[in-house]
């Protein structure tokens, strides 16, 4: 039986693990610290794969490795490239196929729909770091060191996704009967990725030879404005916090806030994503793989996310918004 090794036990890593376990696959989770939760039957392996020798040991029996980990958000430039090199080295030593979960930061500000052939034009350190990590993976594939493929997602939502632009600040707020907080202009179209769909796409990419050496935008639900997205959240939660439902902070407020708040300063690099339409095309994936991964309809995905938030009880006081997701107690995972 194929041995799957998932690096990271955050929302994306856990969604990949659950997808694999539903299929009866052997799965091991590699994390720096003991995870708060793993599905039944999943082996836990503790290793800091920033160091190649530890990655080699942790991945020794792997057939497929899923890179769903990340360092703390403010340490990306210092740690992310070495983390990626460590994971590549571990996959290479095992002779394992490598599937990498990425976001879209490397493209930088764009005024067109996002496609896989866009140049890497990021001007900020987070986006430039993501570009460097992507190059590390694809260069290793091109050199014949490892078979690799990359799946890219837009801003996340879904079960366990708390620290995202539509995490606690939207879903948590709605379930608590509070107003949603968003950045930028909520009237603009913005593509959001449902994490379980992302996981199914990553698993598929690991299975298909034609996926190797390529970057793929994973299938997403219909793109709507952020205002419409928020309205659907409140409809699913069946609450009305009063008018207006949304408290929106313009990009300039985000930038100025960066001088006072470290999390806001980190987010200010991505302000462009909320000041222009941010629409992601996934036609390449659909044309290559057909309906093998059909995205969950937006209303259903939102309803499932609301149900997860409701299962946690009333949301606690919301935390500062961050673009990427990170699990509680394991900040290196995605």
């Amino acid at each position: 039986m194929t041995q799957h090794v998932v690096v990271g036990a955050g929302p994306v890593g856990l969604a990949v693990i659950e997808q694999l376990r539903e299929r009866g696959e052997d799965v091991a989770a590699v994390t720096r610290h003991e995870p708060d939760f793993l599905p039944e039957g999943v082996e836990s392996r503790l290793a800091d794969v920033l160091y190649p020798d530890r990655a080699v040991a942790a991945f020794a029996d792997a057939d497929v490795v899923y890179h769903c980990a990340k360092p703390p958000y403010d340490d990306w430039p210092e740690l992310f490239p070495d983390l990626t090199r460590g994971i590549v080295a571990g996959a290479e030593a095992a002779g394992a196929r490598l599937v990498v979960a990425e976001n879209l930061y490397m493209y930088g500000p764009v005024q067109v729909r996002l496609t896989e052939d866009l140049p890497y034009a990021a001007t900020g350190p987070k986006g430039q770091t993501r570009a460097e990590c992507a190059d590390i993976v694809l260069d290793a594939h091109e050199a014949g060191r490892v078979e690799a493929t990359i799946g890219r997602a837009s801003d996340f939502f879904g079960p366990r996704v708390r620290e995202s632009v539509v995490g606690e600040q939207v879903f948590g707020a709605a379930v608590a009967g509070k107003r949603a907080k968003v950045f930028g202009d909520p009237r603009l179209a913005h593509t959001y990725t449902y994490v379980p769909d992302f996981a199914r796409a990553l698993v598929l990419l690991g299975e298909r030879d034609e996926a190797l050496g390529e970057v793929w935008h994973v299938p997403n639900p219909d793109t709507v404005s952020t205002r419409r997205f928020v309205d659907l959240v409140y409809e699913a939660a069946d609450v009305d916090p009063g008018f207006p439902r949304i408290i929106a902070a313009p990009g300039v407020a985000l930038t100025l806030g960066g001088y006072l708040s470290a999390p806001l300063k980190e987010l200010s690099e991505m302000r462009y994503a909320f000041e222009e339409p941010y629409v992601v095309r996934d036609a390449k994936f659909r044309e290559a793989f057909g309906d093998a991964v059909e995205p969950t309809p937006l209303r259903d995905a939102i309803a499932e996310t609301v149900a997860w938030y409701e299962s946690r009880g009333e949301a606690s006081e919301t935390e500062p918004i961050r673009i990427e997701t990170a699990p509680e107690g394991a900040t290196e995972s995605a």
Side-chain angles (χ1 to χ4, degrees):
M1 183 176 289
T2 301
Q3 176 65 55
H4 300 266
V5 172
V6 180
V7 187
V12 176
L14 282 172
V16 170
I17 289 169
E18 288 175 336
Q19 173 68 20
L20 292 167
R21 286 300 297 155
E22 286 175 6
R23 297 164 38 153
E25 302 283 0
D26 282 346
V27 185
V30 175
T31 57
R32 283 183 60 195
H33 308 291
E34 193 68 47
D36 292 335
F37 165 79
L38 285 177
E40 185 177 352
V42 176
E43 178 187 356
S44 176
R45 301 178 183 177
L46 301 184
D48 187 348
V49 295
L50 182 74
Y51 302 97
D53 59 332
R54 300 179 189 179
V56 169
F59 303 168
D61 59 349
D63 296 300
V64 186
V65 173
Y66 304 83
H67 177 2
C68 302
K70 63 181 180 63
Y73 198 59
D74 53 356
D75 290 333
W76 278 20
E78 293 76 23
L79 299 181
F80 220 148
D82 284 341
L83 174 65
T84 301
R85 291 187 186 96
I87 291 171
V88 167
E92 178 184 7
R97 183 166 292 186
L98 177 61
V99 182
V100 181
E102 288 188 347
N103 64 14
L104 308 172
Y105 287 15
M106 66 287 297
Y107 299 126
V110 295
Q111 294 182 323
V112 296
R113 294 190 175 193
L114 282 79
T115 58
E116 293 90 340
D117 57 359
L118 286 174
Y120 295 167
T123 57
K126 300 293 185 298
Q128 291 172 344
T129 298
R130 278 295 198 178
E132 180 181 356
C133 292
D135 286 341
I136 290 169
V137 172
L138 294 176
D139 287 350
H141 175 89
E142 185 66 24
R145 294 176 49 204
V146 66
E147 292 183 339
T149 182
I150 294 173
R152 289 183 180 156
S154 192
D155 295 299
F156 298 158
F157 73 102
R160 305 188 189 93
V161 179
R162 298 181 60 243
E163 295 184 18
S164 80
V165 291
V166 289
E168 289 285 1
Q169 304 297 326
V170 173
F171 284 95
V175 169
K178 301 177 182 179
R179 291 179 171 87
K181 299 176 183 177
V182 302
F183 282 119
D185 186 346
R187 298 170 299 178
L188 299 175
H190 196 104
T191 299
Y192 294 99
T193 300
Y194 186 48
V195 164
D197 293 341
F198 190 18
R200 291 190 295 125
L202 292 172
V203 171
L204 177 75
L205 292 176
E207 296 174 335
R208 299 295 187 93
D209 291 345
E210 62 268 37
L212 299 174
E214 296 283 339
V215 171
W216 307 87
H217 290 173
V218 303
N220 294 300
D222 292 339
T223 296
V224 297
S225 70
T226 293
R227 181 179 298 281
R228 178 57 178 159
F229 186 97
V230 171
D231 284 344
L232 290 172
V233 173
Y234 280 87
E235 288 176 19
D238 194 23
V239 296
D240 186 358
F243 182 83
R245 285 178 172 172
I246 296 176
I247 301 172
V252 65
L254 178 60
T255 301
L256 293 174
Y259 291 103
L260 302 174
S261 165
L264 286 177
K265 184 175 181 181
E266 297 300 332
L267 180 58
S268 66
E269 179 185 331
M270 299 304 298
R271 56 178 286 189
Y272 62 81
F274 309 100
E275 296 176 335
E276 298 286 346
Y278 201 73
V279 180
V280 183
R281 292 203 64 199
D282 52 24
K284 176 180 174 180
F285 191 105
R286 294 174 185 267
E287 290 169 4
F289 307 117
D291 60 359
V293 177
E294 277 293 307
T296 306
L298 184 60
R299 283 182 179 273
D300 294 344
I302 285 174
E304 290 167 10
T305 306
V306 167
W308 181 83
Y309 270 87
E310 290 175 337
S311 73
R312 298 171 53 240
E314 183 171 327
S316 58
E317 188 67 25
T318 57
E319 301 174 10
I321 297 178
R322 297 186 183 222
I323 287 284
E324 283 281 300
T325 60
E328 298 175 276
T331 54
E332 79 280 2
S333 303

